[in-house]
Structure formats: structure tokens, C-alpha cells
Amino acid sequence: MVILFYGSIVPALHIYHSDGSASSLWTSQHQIAGAVTRIAVRDNASFIGLFNRLITAGTRYDRIIIDTHGAPGEISFGGPTFNDSWFRVQRDLMGGNSFATAGARILFSGCNVAEGAAGWSFLTEAARCFLVGVGGQATGWTSVGFASPFSGHVFHLTGNTRTVHVDGAGQVLRREGS
């Protein structure tokens, strides 16, 4: 299915941590169906700058994949972590603007980002932030992942995914996963 937005194909956005490792090279090759905008992020400051540019650029994405380091309830691009509090503040700063389409899907493939109560809180606040005004879903893993040198995919051999669905006002519609 092709989604149109302002007369053009809506691409997926793939943000990945580029730390110069073989793992980041494999991750940059992550196979994603359809049109994909890939953006390498070297550190936390780059992610913050990118986030702000995406809000003002006006391009919208139907899928947002974030491949980086994770821990229960947080992600990192090699420095201090981004947790539920950071996303809550960002949402307030965004002024109701989003770089996602209505019903967009976000995937955090970092290790065990969705684990425990902190994981639920992270997914909820990240969904409310990324999907302000449009609604959609955010998904993360409860386990450690491994990058495949063959496909670029991050595999989670154990654990489950958790998903939070929100409406445009940020209200949680449902949660899936254990």
C-alpha cells in the first residue's frame, strides 16, 4: 500500500546510531519496505538537533524506526539517556506539531527499552511526543537484541514486544504485550 501526503510517497524514517562499529554499519542496512529516509546519529547532541529539525521540516513519516542503545525505559546515542521525562518535555516544546502521519508506527529496537514499569512509561511518553496531534503506536522490546551481519536487522532471541496505542490528544487507547 502506498500512502500519499501532499502528493508524494510518505517514507519511513530510520534513525540509527552511527558509532563507527560494525554493528552500526549492519544496522544502517536494515531492510525496511518502501521509501526510507535513513539518518545516522553519532551522539545525543546530534539526536536532539535532528529531532528539532524534523519538527520544523514539515515532512511526515508513517513509520519511524530508532535503532540505538537501550535499557529499561531509556535510549541513548552514547551519552546521557533519553527517558520518559525527556519525551514529556519535548512534547510540550513541540507545540502540537509532529513529524508523523496519522496512525504512524514507531519502533524502538534498542535492548530492553520496554522492560518493566519504566518501559511502559517510556513507550507511553514517546508515543505521546512523536504522535502529538496524529495518534498511532509505539513499540519496543523487553529483551537484549543482536544485529545480524547479514540483514542489518536487530534480532531479539528472547523477550516480547510491548506496544502503546495513543490518540492525537495523547490518551492511551490500549496497551499490548506483557
Side-chain angles (χ1 to χ4, degrees), residues 19-66:
D19 59 4
S21 69
S23 177
S24 85
L25 173 63
W26 299 329
T27 301
S28 71
Q29 302 302 314
H30 191 120
Q31 297 172 2
I32 301 167
V36 180
T37 298
R38 295 182 194 279
I39 301 175
V41 174
R42 295 194 83 59
D43 54 29
N44 282 356
S46 299
F47 178 68
I48 292 169
L50 170 63
F51 201 87
N52 292 327
R53 285 191 309 278
L54 288 169
I55 292 166
T56 59
T59 303
R60 301 235 178 170
Y61 301 92
D62 67 339
R63 291 161 292 147
I64 301 168
I65 301 99
I66 300 180

Side-chain angles (χ1 to χ4, degrees), residues 22-176:
S23 177
S24 85
L25 173 63
W26 299 329
T27 301
S28 71
Q29 302 302 314
H30 191 120
Q31 297 172 2
I32 301 167
V36 180
T37 298
R38 295 182 194 279
I39 301 175
V41 174
R42 295 194 83 59
D43 54 29
N44 282 356
S46 299
F47 178 68
I48 292 169
L50 170 63
F51 201 87
N52 292 327
R53 285 191 309 278
L54 288 169
I55 292 166
T56 59
T59 303
R60 301 235 178 170
Y61 301 92
D62 67 339
R63 291 161 292 147
I64 301 168
I65 301 99
I66 300 180
D67 284 321
T68 191
H69 303 290
E74 56 191 43
I75 60 171
S76 172
F77 293 91
T81 60
F82 298 97
N83 58 20
D84 57 350
S85 297
W86 186 84
F87 283 106
R88 196 174 305 113
V89 169
Q90 280 301 121
R91 179 180 178 212
D92 292 341
L93 295 173
M94 291 169 63
N97 297 314
S98 178
F99 49 91
T101 62
R105 296 170 301 178
I106 303 163
L107 172 63
F108 294 95
S109 68
C111 294
N112 58 333
V113 67
E115 185 178 335
W120 280 121
S121 184
F122 174 88
L123 287 177
T124 300
E125 294 305 324
R128 288 175 173 160
C129 177
F130 278 98
L131 303 166
V132 62
V134 295
Q137 67 185 48
T139 301
W141 284 92
T142 62
S143 60
V144 175
F146 303 93
S148 165
F150 304 108
S151 69
H153 286 284
V154 176
F155 289 97
H156 291 262
L157 303 175
T158 62
N160 299 302
T161 59
R162 287 179 165 179
T163 302
V164 173
H165 299 262
V166 297
D167 64 15
Q171 297 299 312
V172 174
L173 301 174
R174 72 179 181 279
R175 292 180 177 180
E176 299 171 347

